[in-house]
Amino acid sequence: FTPLSPLAGGALEACCVLLFVLQLGLKARFMGRHRFARSAPAVLQLLLLTVAAADLAVWCSSVSWRRTPLSRPLRPLFIVFAHRKLLSTFYAVVRMLPAVLELLLLISGLLAFSALISFVLFGPWEPPLAAFASYGSSFYSSFLLLTTTNFPDVALRPYRSSRATVLYFVVFQLTLVFVGLALMLALLYRAYERHMKSEAAVLSANRRRALRAAFALLVHDWQSAGAVDALSAEALPLSRF
C-alpha cells in the first residue's frame, strides 16, 4: 500500500469537508434558520467544519510550513453528528461518564502508584529490565498488565529472576483487573440501564401525546362530518392514552 502524498491527502480532505458543508447546507435549508440555530448537533457540526476549514486554510497558506494537527482528533465527530443513531449513542456514553468518573480516577491513581512501585522494585535490577527501566516504561507495562495484553512478556522476566515477584503481580491483578474493572463494568451497566429506562419513558410519553393529538383531530373531523355519535363509543377507549 502506497501512502498518499501530502497534496493528494489535502485535496481528498478538502473534498470531504465540502461534502459535509453541502450536507449541512441542505440540512439548514430544510430545517429553517431558527430551528437550525436551536439544534445543538447542527451547531457543533458547523463549529467542527469551521475548525477543519481553518486547518486546511493554514496548511495551504505560507503561515505554517507543516500541517497543524487541530482537526485530526475531531474527524470522527463528523460521522457521529451526521447520523442520528450514532449521535444518540454518543450522548448516552457522555451521560454515563459522570457515574464512572470517580472510579476511573481511582483506577488511574492506582495504576500510576503501581507503576511507581514496579519501577522502584524492578528498576535497579541487573541486568536491567527494559519494561521497568524508567517510570514511563513502567507505566506502559502496568497498563499492558491492566488490559491483560502481553501479560507473559511483562511478568515472566521478573518471575524468572525471583519467584517472589509473583506477589506483586497477583496483588495487581486482584486489585485492578478483577476488582477495579469489574466495578467499572457494573457501574457502566447500571448507568446504561438508567439511561435506557429514561429513554423508554420519554418515548412512551411522546407516543401517548401523539395518540391524544390524533384522537383530538379525529374527534374534530367526526364532529365536522356529523358522525361523532356513531363512532364516539368505539373511539372513546383511545382517550385513556
Side-chain angles (χ1 to χ4, degrees):
F1 179 74
T2 304
L4 295 175
S5 63
L7 184 60
L12 181 60
E13 185 175 356
C15 293
C16 293
V17 171
L18 288 177
L19 287 177
F20 280 111
V21 169
L22 179 62
Q23 179 191 14
L24 196 62
L26 291 175
K27 185 184 295 186
R29 179 180 178 182
F30 288 106
M31 290 177 61
R33 289 181 298 177
H34 298 287
R35 187 179 177 186
F36 180 84
R38 292 194 302 266
S39 177
V43 174
L44 290 175
Q45 192 174 3
L46 179 61
L47 293 177
L48 290 175
L49 286 174
T50 304
V51 173
D55 190 12
L56 282 173
V58 171
W59 178 66
C60 294
S61 65
S62 58
V63 176
S64 178
W65 60 273
R66 63 179 180 178
R67 184 66 188 275
T68 56
L70 294 177
S71 63
R72 291 181 182 178
L74 304 177
R75 290 173 185 174
L77 295 179
F78 285 104
I79 307 298
V80 171
F81 289 122
H83 297 275
R84 183 177 300 176
K85 292 295 184 181
L86 287 177
L87 185 61
S88 177
T89 305
F90 179 76
Y91 280 162
V93 172
V94 171
R95 289 168 184 166
M96 287 188 296
L97 286 180
V100 298
L101 184 59
E102 295 180 358
L103 184 59
L104 184 61
L105 292 176
L106 177 61
I107 292 177
S108 301
L110 290 176
L111 183 63
F113 181 72
S114 301
L116 179 62
I117 294 298
S118 63
F119 173 64
V120 172
L121 290 177
F122 309 131
W125 280 19
E126 292 294 340
L129 301 175
F132 304 99
S134 63
Y135 180 75
S137 59
S138 299
F139 187 85
Y140 179 72
S141 301
S142 300
F143 181 76
L144 291 181
L145 292 175
L146 179 65
T147 58
T148 65
T149 304
N150 297 330
F151 179 84
D153 296 338
V154 177
L156 282 183
R157 289 193 62 188
Y159 179 74
R160 290 193 184 107
S161 301
S162 175
R163 294 191 176 183
T165 57
V166 72
L167 297 176
Y168 167 79
F169 293 109
V170 167
V171 171
F172 181 90
Q173 292 291 315
L174 290 176
T175 304
L176 291 176
V177 178
F178 293 104
V179 176
L181 294 184
L183 284 176
M184 181 175 291
L185 180 60
L187 289 176
L188 283 173
Y189 176 77
R190 183 178 297 179
Y192 182 75
E193 186 181 15
R194 288 198 299 264
H195 172 73
M196 293 305 296
K197 287 182 178 179
S198 63
E199 289 289 329
V202 171
L203 291 176
S204 179
N206 291 337
R207 178 177 177 271
R208 292 180 180 180
R209 191 181 302 111
L211 285 174
R212 291 193 188 100
F215 179 75
L217 289 175
L218 286 175
V219 170
H220 180 268
D221 293 339
W222 293 338
Q223 288 177 348
S224 300
V228 67
D229 295 333
L231 297 176
S232 59
E234 298 179 1
L236 188 59
L238 286 175
S239 61
R240 71 173 181 270
F241 294 100

